[in-house]
Amino acid sequence: MTFSLAALDRETGQIGIVVQSKAFAVGLAVPWARPKVGAVCTQANTNMKYGPEGLDLLEQGLAPQEVIERLTRADEGYKIRQVGVLDASGRAANYTGPNCMEWAGGLTGDGWTAQGNILAGPQVVEAMAAAYTSAEGPLAERLLSALKAGQEAGGDTRGMQSAALLVVGEGAVHPGGKLIEIRVDDHHTPIDELIRIYQVRKRLFDSRSGEWVDYQGDVMLMTEQLMRMRKIPSLKALAEKLGIEEAIRGSKISQRFLQAIAAERMK
């Protein structure tokens, strides 16, 4: 009852996963990724151990197909599992257990893997792959295009409930190298909501140019909410807590400070 796509952006080195399911909080269980290592999508009757263990195996140098063989060989429930694995060089593989509910299967290509179960048919993963490989722009946006295309092709036959987007890479201030982590845990149109939240984030970060950001609007609201939650009395005290030396210049705050604030809010 889940479909997902994991991909590598060769230009930036970013690795990302996008997923939707007729299940609560899919972002908690399915997507796992580590900078310079790879990604694992563990789904169907999800074995969450596949995530961290699969990433560890990739980090040890095993190829994606070898990782899948190692994970499933050690799992008595391998017949009801589905998993997609991608490494930091772009090699990809996926596996669908013989007892996964139809339609279930996957596709792989250079730098991506798409997989799903309880789907309307193979056209779902085919549409995801076509949309991803033809899209342009940041990795996150190409992943979102793929997810939307999968849903438009029929998606999960049981319906929609939750969706998630995860992108990791160098330069992240969040633990685990997370550049973007957005989860919609329970919504009647989770993909649309995921895209909406991504656009809010983009207005806060990606659409801003320069190293310094005006302290107003959404930036002020997000920062002051964090200070109230953490009982921190001032911007200066918040900057000291987050270890940002040059955080404030008059009515502006630094992009690095803003990124640290966003990461702190996710904890």
Side-chain angles (χ1 to χ4, degrees):
M1 56 184 175
T2 301
F3 55 100
S4 65
L5 189 144
L8 165 73
D9 185 320
R10 293 189 182 279
E11 291 187 8
T12 65
Q14 294 178 3
I15 298 167
I17 299 171
V18 71
V19 57
Q20 197 279 148
S21 182
K22 183 63 173 80
F24 178 73
V26 70
L28 179 65
V30 171
W32 300 79
R34 192 177 296 167
K36 296 184 177 181
V37 176
V40 176
C41 303
T42 173
Q43 52 199 60
N45 284 268
T46 305
N47 184 339
M48 289 179 63
K49 291 182 180 180
Y50 279 17
E53 291 179 2
L55 291 174
D56 288 344
L57 292 171
L58 286 175
E59 198 159 21
Q60 293 168 23
L62 274 69
Q65 186 60 45
E66 294 176 298
V67 170
I68 290 173
E69 291 170 2
R70 185 80 64 91
L71 292 173
T72 54
R73 188 165 60 241
D75 181 9
E76 292 182 357
Y78 73 96
K79 290 184 179 181
I80 54 174
R81 311 294 188 207
Q82 187 174 57
V83 60
V85 180
L86 173 76
D87 71 13
S89 70
R91 296 179 297 179
N94 56 44
Y95 163 82
T96 298
N99 291 347
C100 287
M101 296 180 67
E102 294 290 344
W103 185 87
L107 294 172
T108 61
D110 180 25
W112 59 269
T113 175
Q115 47 281 316
N117 59 91
I118 318 185
L119 303 184
Q123 70 271 18
V124 177
V125 290
E126 290 167 0
M128 292 178 72
Y132 173 74
T133 55
S134 64
E136 297 181 353
L139 176 62
E141 295 179 14
R142 285 179 276 149
L143 290 170
L144 290 170
S145 294
L147 195 65
K148 191 171 181 67
Q151 181 58 38
E152 290 173 349
D156 184 332
T157 57
R158 297 178 62 179
M160 297 182 284
Q161 186 170 1
S162 63
L165 169 67
L166 174 64
V167 178
V168 302
E170 292 187 86
V173 295
H174 191 282
K178 296 175 183 177
L179 294 167
I180 302 173
E181 184 179 32
I182 304 173
R183 298 178 182 176
V184 177
D185 289 343
D186 185 32
H187 198 276
H188 63 287
T189 55
I191 297 174
D192 290 342
E193 180 66 2
L194 188 69
I195 293 170
R196 185 192 70 80
I197 296 172
Y198 172 79
Q199 292 298 334
V200 171
R201 181 197 180 278
K202 184 175 181 177
R203 288 196 296 271
L204 283 170
F205 299 100
D206 300 338
S207 64
R208 297 181 182 276
S209 60
E211 185 181 351
W212 297 87
V213 175
D214 290 332
Y215 185 58
Q216 61 183 13
D218 290 338
V219 171
M220 179 183 290
L221 178 63
M222 181 177 69
T223 304
E224 293 184 351
Q225 285 177 341
L226 177 61
M227 289 193 291
R228 285 196 298 272
M229 287 190 296
R230 300 291 190 269
K231 297 182 180 180
I232 298 171
S234 66
L235 277 176
K236 182 178 179 181
L238 179 60
E240 290 174 355
K241 174 180 173 57
L242 298 178
I244 309 296
E245 293 183 4
E246 189 178 14
I248 307 161
R249 283 187 184 176
S251 62
K252 294 180 180 291
I253 65 174
S254 72
Q255 286 277 17
R256 186 163 178 263
F257 187 25
L258 188 57
Q259 291 169 359
I261 289 167
E264 183 70 17
R265 280 168 57 89
M266 294 180 188
K267 293 180 180 179

